[in-house]
Amino acid sequence: MSFCSLSSPQSLSLFSKPSHGHKTLSSRFRASADVPDFLSADWFESRRKRPFGPRLNFSAEEAVQYQLDALMFNDQPRQDYGIEVLYRFAGFDPFERSTYFGPFFDLGQFERFRRIFHHSTYRVLLGHKEKKILSSLMVKEDQYKQRVWIRGARPEEEEIFQFTMVQRVGGSWDGYWLTESLLHDGDSFSGGVAY
């Protein structure tokens, strides 16, 4: 198929609506004025509704706060949505074993990551009632640690966790703060965990 020159009045513009006086080659070449034809018609709206996760403009402290807020309201708008948010912030390679929770775990599949949070030590984070920052430290220019006390939804449920955030340099995550690890202060896996 050959196209006529772009300067002719019958040329086909990929970024504008076809004029009513000219026939189009096929419906697949039609596009709205705002969206190129290789994107869906609702592309712009879907970008506004993108899932919550890391943003370039978040500081390390904000990234931790947003993750804790997501876990506080874990089952809103759907079950385990807060855990999904943490998974998006997780800075591990899904194809390698990770020390995100301390011991080496294969966390490449979301379901394995989710099960860890339902383990007795980490479940205090799910739907917690209160949180208090115990300490914050900028270890290096691109590494930040924060210890947080959490009071859970169940009676006498209190735990301390440490977030380690790293700011990526290079690649598609350049400048983003991602969670390198979320560690429990105690020996959280002494009894083992089936994940």
Side-chain angles (χ1 to χ4, degrees):
M1 169 187 318
S2 66
F3 290 100
C4 53
S5 101
L6 291 177
S7 61
S8 75
Q10 296 176 342
S11 67
L12 179 65
S13 173
L14 295 178
F15 297 102
S16 65
K17 291 184 180 178
S19 64
H20 297 287
H22 301 291
K23 278 182 127 179
T24 57
L25 295 175
S26 90
S27 64
R28 74 181 184 132
F29 289 111
R30 287 188 206 139
S32 73
D34 298 342
V35 182
D37 70 341
F38 51 85
L39 299 174
S40 65
D42 62 345
W43 174 83
F44 186 70
E45 191 62 32
S46 70
R47 292 298 295 161
R48 272 195 233 161
K49 293 180 183 178
R50 67 182 173 170
F52 191 76
R55 301 284 191 272
L56 192 54
N57 61 331
F58 288 172
S59 67
E61 301 93 88
E62 289 172 325
V64 171
Q65 182 64 43
Y66 289 133
Q67 290 178 79
L68 286 170
D69 289 348
L71 289 172
M72 181 181 273
F73 303 103
N74 182 52
D75 290 331
Q76 297 172 13
R78 62 181 170 275
Q79 186 176 4
D80 288 334
Y81 178 75
I83 298 173
E84 286 180 37
V85 170
L86 260 74
Y87 195 72
R88 290 186 202 112
F89 273 95
F92 58 78
D93 181 349
F95 299 107
E96 294 182 14
R97 296 177 73 78
S98 170
T99 57
Y100 184 92
F101 294 108
F104 277 100
F105 285 122
D106 177 4
L107 300 175
Q109 296 174 359
F110 172 73
E111 183 57 30
R112 290 180 179 173
F113 186 83
R114 189 191 71 77
R115 281 190 214 142
I116 299 274
F117 278 96
H118 289 282
H119 181 266
S120 61
T121 308
Y122 282 88
R123 76 175 175 205
V124 67
L125 289 161
L126 304 178
H128 63 272
K129 298 297 180 198
E130 187 180 352
K131 61 184 172 267
K132 181 179 173 185
I133 296 171
L134 300 176
S135 62
S136 299
L137 176 66
M138 188 63 95
V139 179
K140 296 187 280 186
E141 183 180 346
D142 62 347
Q143 186 177 32
Y144 174 82
K145 291 184 182 265
Q146 186 173 82
R147 292 183 71 233
V148 183
W149 170 82
I150 301 289
R151 183 172 62 85
R154 297 164 201 82
E156 298 182 31
E157 191 176 49
E158 297 180 11
E159 300 291 343
I160 297 174
F161 295 92
Q162 175 181 287
F163 280 85
T164 301
M165 306 298 293
V166 292
Q167 190 174 36
R168 289 289 171 91
V169 178
S172 61
W173 291 102
D174 185 37
Y176 288 81
W177 285 97
L178 302 176
T179 309
E180 183 177 65
S181 65
L182 173 56
L183 305 176
H184 179 263
D185 255 14
D187 186 11
S188 58
F189 298 107
S190 60
V193 61
Y195 74 108

